Every structure is written in structure tokens, then in C-alpha cells.
Amino acid sequence: MPTTDRTRVQIFQVSTLYGAATAAAAVDAGLFGAPGEARRLLLVSNNAEIPETAVRLETMTGYERVAARFDGVLDWNEAVHPHHPGTWAPRPEETPLWQRVLRTAWDLDDAPVELVVESIQVNPAKALAAVFAESSVHVYADGLMSYGPTRDELPQSLACRIRRVLHLDLVPGLRPLLLTEYGVGAELVPDEAFRAVLREIAGASRDSAEDAALTAAAAAAPTALLLGQYLAALGILTVEEEEDLHVRMLRGAAAVGHRSVVFKPHPTAPAGYSTALHEEAARTGVRLTVLDGPLLAETYYERCRPGLVVGCFSTAMLTAAHYFGVPVARVGTRTVLERLTPYENSNRVPLTLVDHLVPDLEGDAPPAVPDTTRAGLAPLVRAVGHCMRPSAHPGLREETAAYLAAHGSDPDLAHHFPAERLAELGLRAPARA
């Protein structure tokens, strides 16, 4: 559909199917206006370190059903080739030229453009916003990071254009901290709209090459799903440590009575990553199925309805709990939290949430659907958020100091506030036993 008569154009930048599903649910819920009010384009980017060897979004099961909501699909990698989409950004003096190039390539003419992006702090979203320097920007949250502070300070010329943060209600009752220092408000993507998109994606799996694998997994009558995250790629764990983490997940699931288990490795994990798991499964008498196709974990939830989901700090854990009512448990979360550097690493708040809400599979509490209304969650997240980026949230300093005075020696909370970080910020916690 070519742009005519200055028809408004909305460009939705996505890099994951989960993010694309979130954007599609927002469109379905009318959060971007009624159908036909704007020309909607899906801009796909592959931000993997080596995009040529990573799973392409377009090959993911269910992608076509999500993409069908849009009037066209664009390829950001192709647009900026040979540059890497995660590192390339135009020089300020080049942005007018780049806008002319993209308007021509994407058939935008002189139509007004709205941008809908993920992770506005980094490329490609930041580069896209720089090219379309007059465009309003909507940010959608692809996961749990929106509950934490903005990763980096944004130029005011960009911050003033951001209209809202759209997010899933993964932790009901908790408000995102992302971009609040710029006065940007948060807006929920309705639960039912997102669930409907997930059902579509699961339905697409019945017509896909992965259907046989899903059918075989279901036939094994699994009652637990283990989620791999490939933390070795982030330099947090070694490959051997991460393999051991998966073994501990299996061992823990077996200890609470699960005899048939599915392991879903991270899409970028090495092919031999499940070898140690198979050896442990044979030793403990657990039936293990590895589901390594280009599928969302949520597709498995829809098709197979597990009784337990185990992970480290994957968003898919809280998706299982909130949207499917599946009990969840964590393994290795605290170790990863303690190793995470620097303190302001964006993964800290997702780790904090899982550590605080989700039972430890190797502890005494049974797996459960987390109670996100429990007292103390929001103050903990705000205190961690202030310690991550104090300059962005100076108004939280007094509240954080009071929180530390009350809870800083609590062994269930103290590990969120290393003494070295508190010393850097001039904050104090009670002496720890």
C-alpha cells in the first residue's frame, strides 16, 4: 500500500517474536488507532552478534500470522548493510540524507512518521529515532527490563519525543521505572489481546515443520519445562557452569516428582548444549525431550500445558505464571545476580524480580505462581533502581536510605545491595551478620 496524501505511517521496529507479538497485541487492542488510520510497517532487525548465523525472526513459527497485521515488512539489516544493526548509527550531519534514502527505499514520500521501538537506549531504535528526528516515539517493553531504570541518559531532543511505554502486565501491581525520569507514562497492553496473539502463534505451529516435534513432546506427557538462556554468551557463566545449571534444573524437577521433562535451549546456544542433561536424565530415570526448533516457549505452554516451568531469570517464567497459571521455580538466579557487572547492568532488575518472587527449586518452598502483590516488592525495585542509576532518580535517595535502614541486613534482601556499591553512593545499610 503506497503512501498517498500524507497518510500517517507507523513503523514498528522488532527483533524478537515475543516483541512482535507484544506490538501486534497493542495494535489489536486499538492502542495505535483504528484500522486504516495509518499505514503500519513492521521493521525487522536481527541484532545477534553474527546475524548471518542466528535464527531469523522470519523463520520463527507464527511469525507470518503476526506480520499479517501490518501493511508491509521492512528489513533494517538490509537497510544499513554492511554495518551491524546493533552498532551502526548515523553521524548527526548525515541524518537528513539517511531520512531521504529510507523514505525513498520504503516508499514513504513525505508522510508523517511515528516510531514504535524497543530498547530506545540502544541501536537500532536509537539510530532509527535519530534518522526520523521529527517523529514521535512510542516504546514497548520486550520483557522484564522495563521495570528497571533507563539504561543510559538520553539526549533531551529524543526524550521529549517519547510519548509512552507500552508493557505487558508481567508483574501485576508493579509500575515500570523505565523513562519515568523524563515524565513518560506507562500503558498496559491488555492481557487478553496478548493471549489471543499467543493462541494464534500456537495455532500456526500445527501447520509448521515444528508440529512433529511438538506432537512428540506432548506424547511424552511432560509435566515440566526447563528454560535455557545461554548465559555464557553474556560472559556471566562459563559453558561448563551453564551446563551444570541445566543439570540442576533437571535434578530439581525430578526431586519434586517430575519424571518427564522438556528442555528448551536458547536459540543461540551450541548444538551440543544438552549432552550433560541427557546423561543426568539417564542417571535419574527422567524422560527428557529437547525442543530446539524456532518456537516461542509460550507456544509450548499453549500446546502442552506443563505443571512446572523452571528457569534462571527468563521472562518466559513470568509469562507462564501470569498468562497460563503455571507454577514456576528458579535455579542459579542468585549466583548470576551476584556475578552481574557492572551494578547498573540492565539484567539486574529482571534478576531481582525473579529472585524475590519465584521459589528456589533447590530450597524449601515448593514451586508456585508468584504473589506479585506481596508487600515490599515495589520498594525493593525502586531501591535497586536508584542504586543502579542514582542520577536519573535522585528523588528516590531518601526512600532508598529508609529502605536500607529497615531491610539492609535482611539476608533475603541484603545481597541486592553490595557494600561496595553503597559506599560509592554514600549510602549505608545496617551491619550484616
Side-chain angles (χ1 to χ4, degrees), residues 277-415:
L277 263 183
H278 280 290
E279 293 174 354
E280 180 65 17
R283 190 187 70 79
T284 56
V286 171
R287 184 173 185 175
L288 175 66
T289 304
V290 176
L291 195 64
D292 57 1
L295 293 163
L296 278 182
E298 289 74 15
T299 302
Y300 177 83
Y301 304 158
E302 192 77 53
R303 289 280 299 271
C304 300
R305 302 289 177 170
L308 170 67
V309 171
V310 183
C312 184
F313 67 102
S314 171
T315 295
M317 298 168 67
L318 293 187
T319 307
H322 179 61
Y323 291 104
F324 297 88
V326 178
V328 294
R330 59 179 168 86
V331 173
T333 307
R334 191 157 297 185
T335 299
V336 174
L337 183 61
E338 290 169 350
R339 290 193 185 182
L340 196 67
T341 56
Y343 185 85
E344 58 270 24
N345 189 301
S346 299
N347 287 306
R348 185 164 300 278
V349 164
L351 279 158
T352 297
L353 289 169
V354 172
D355 178 77
H356 190 66
L357 290 172
V358 178
D360 184 351
L361 189 61
E362 298 172 316
D364 297 327
V369 174
D371 177 10
T372 61
T373 65
R374 61 187 289 188
L377 175 62
L380 169 63
V381 172
R382 288 197 297 269
V384 170
H386 172 74
C387 291
M388 288 174 67
R389 291 212 58 224
S391 62
H393 298 280
L396 293 180
R397 182 178 176 85
E398 185 175 338
E399 178 185 335
T400 299
Y403 183 87
L404 291 169
H407 303 286
S409 60
D410 184 335
D412 290 329
L413 299 172
H415 59 281

Side-chain angles (χ1 to χ4, degrees), residues 56-71:
R56 292 181 59 85
L57 173 57
E58 301 93 315
T59 67
M60 293 285 289
T61 300
Y63 162 80
E64 290 185 358
R65 296 204 182 183
V66 171
R69 288 167 169 80
F70 300 88
D71 297 306

Side-chain angles (χ1 to χ4, degrees), residues 237-260:
L237 300 178
T238 65
V239 171
E240 293 75 20
E241 287 173 326
E242 188 154 26
E243 286 182 329
D244 182 62
L245 183 68
H246 298 154
V247 167
R248 289 164 56 194
M249 291 180 183
L250 178 71
R251 194 177 297 143
V256 295
H258 296 273
R259 311 312 301 170
S260 182

Side-chain angles (χ1 to χ4, degrees), residues 183-199:
V184 178
E187 188 171 349
L188 283 172
V189 177
D191 284 354
E192 185 47 43
F194 187 62
R195 282 286 281 112
V197 176
L198 293 181
R199 284 192 292 270

